[in-house]
Amino acid sequence: MRSSELQTLIDIIPDNFADPGADYQAVGEMMAPFHGHPLLEGTTAETLSLDGVKTGHIWDAGSQDSHAIILHFHGGAFVSCSLDAYLFYGEIITQRLGAQVMIPDYRLAPEQPYPAAHDDCFNAYKGLIESGIDPARICVMGESCGGSLAIGTLLQARDQGLAMPACFVSLTGWFDLSVSGQEFEERDPFLTADWVRNRATDYLAGKVDHRDQRVSPAFADLTGLPPMYLQLAQYDTVREGVIQLAANAVRDGVEVTLESWPGLIHGWHGLVNAGVPEAELAWTRIRAYVERRCNKRDSTKSTAND
């Protein structure tokens, strides 16, 4: 059963919100009201370079001395938005998780098609490790298309022999760019399958197939990846890719937590500032998971040395 706060927001979303015929410029205009909110007093945001990738670093008083570092790959369907427009989401994360946040400013399609965004995200992860941050402190997080970028980063890191982070957390991740699988009766008000596929086409530019495992990790061998926490909305248009990713994780010996959220929709985590209780609860559960994972190795060492 959805909360009244969430249902009120859903009821005001127009039926043509995710118009399959929209081009990438129209998509940017559509998403603009959801992004770019001013930061609160007390939140600090600076930019730094991670292996040549401009990256936002966001924290507040409650996260300044945190053990966990969140490397977050933002959403926007590969075509939207700039880092400046996504700093507010970093603020949400640092407030809700009590951790410092890094957000790579990856290049956007269609001006910069595949593999530009994938390369930038991998280089940011490599740069974060090379900066001296212990991988056991890092939680890699991906929102929507950032989910496929995050898993793609981890697969490349594995193949190149880089250390894995403590964990991966998915915020309604998009892991199958072809949006294949079973359809369902109630439509996600934020996304349609055709709209999502068109954004993937903008990004891939005919260079690889939508189901290529390099861009659609729902079809990849996940062996050697870190523990995963996947919060899954019942009516998320990209739901089936999450289910497939979880199934592959099980088959490939990767620890995975798949959590069902009945009645929910794509991107509900971002509605926390609108007073949606489902979003508040989701972040509370993510915080517990991240704190347990990112402190696990240190607590083990401490016990062994006592």
Side-chain angles (χ1 to χ4, degrees):
M1 187 71 175
R2 291 175 181 149
S3 67
S4 59
E5 293 87 348
L6 178 57
Q7 190 60 55
T8 297
L9 290 173
I10 291 174
D11 289 343
I12 64 175
I13 300 171
D15 290 339
N16 64 346
F17 181 78
D19 179 6
D23 62 16
Y24 76 98
Q25 293 173 321
V27 171
E29 293 172 0
M30 177 193 79
M31 290 186 172
F34 295 93
H35 304 130
H37 309 305
L39 301 182
L40 300 173
E41 184 176 351
T43 299
T44 301
E46 64 178 11
T47 58
L48 48 82
S49 176
L50 293 177
D51 200 22
V53 179
K54 178 183 175 184
T55 301
H57 178 203
I58 306 99
W59 74 93
D60 62 14
S63 61
Q64 187 170 4
D65 298 322
S66 66
H67 182 78
I69 301 290
I70 310 299
L71 180 62
H72 177 63
F73 300 131
H74 71 74
F78 298 110
V79 302
S80 177
C81 298
S82 68
L83 173 62
D84 288 344
Y86 258 95
L87 291 176
F88 85 99
Y89 208 102
E91 180 178 66
I92 288 176
I93 298 171
T94 198
Q95 285 181 329
R96 301 297 164 177
L97 303 190
Q100 297 184 54
V101 180
M102 306 284 184
I103 303 181
D105 190 22
Y106 61 79
R107 288 168 288 174
L108 301 175
E111 293 92 341
Q112 299 289 337
Y114 174 81
H118 274 73
D119 288 346
D120 291 345
C121 291
F122 170 74
N123 287 335
Y125 177 71
K126 181 164 68 75
L128 185 59
I129 292 177
E130 290 175 347
S131 74
I133 298 295
D134 182 356
R137 296 178 58 192
I138 301 172
C139 166
V140 171
M141 182 176 291
E143 168 213 356
S144 193
C145 71
S148 63
L149 292 170
I151 297 294
T153 290
L154 296 179
L155 291 171
Q156 188 173 353
R158 176 200 65 187
D159 293 345
Q160 295 193 18
L162 297 183
M164 289 290 103
C167 60
F168 165 70
V169 173
S170 168
L171 309 179
T172 58
W174 175 19
F175 302 111
D176 172 10
L177 270 57
S178 71
V179 198
S180 58
Q182 180 180 352
E183 296 185 2
F184 38 95
E185 184 174 347
E186 181 168 345
R187 185 177 77 80
D188 187 324
F190 283 128
L191 300 178
T192 63
D194 286 340
W195 185 94
V196 176
R197 292 188 195 100
N198 288 345
R199 303 293 71 80
T201 299
D202 289 337
Y203 175 53
L204 300 179
K207 295 186 176 183
V208 296
D209 185 78
H210 286 59
R211 292 171 63 90
D212 189 299
Q213 64 181 12
R214 289 172 291 180
V215 296
S216 289
F219 308 111
D221 179 351
L222 305 176
T223 304
L225 266 58
M228 300 180 180
Y229 181 32
L230 315 175
Q231 290 187 332
L232 175 62
Q234 181 182 5
Y235 296 117
D236 190 344
T237 299
V238 299
R239 177 190 71 185
E240 295 302 303
V242 183
I243 295 171
Q244 182 63 45
L245 185 82
N248 284 358
V250 172
R251 297 185 187 105
D252 296 334
V254 175
E255 182 178 334
V256 60
T257 301
L258 178 64
E259 189 175 87
S260 170
W261 286 72
L264 292 213
I265 59 176
H266 187 82
W268 89 89
H269 301 83
L271 302 176
V272 66
N273 288 344
V276 172
E278 293 95 334
E280 186 74 52
L281 178 58
W283 284 112
T284 298
R285 292 183 180 177
I286 292 170
R287 179 167 185 158
Y289 182 86
V290 170
E291 288 181 345
R292 185 171 70 253
R293 286 292 168 191
C294 290
N295 290 322
K296 185 174 182 180
R297 296 184 194 180
D298 278 4
S299 62
T300 301
K301 291 177 182 179
S302 176
T303 300
N305 293 331
D306 287 344

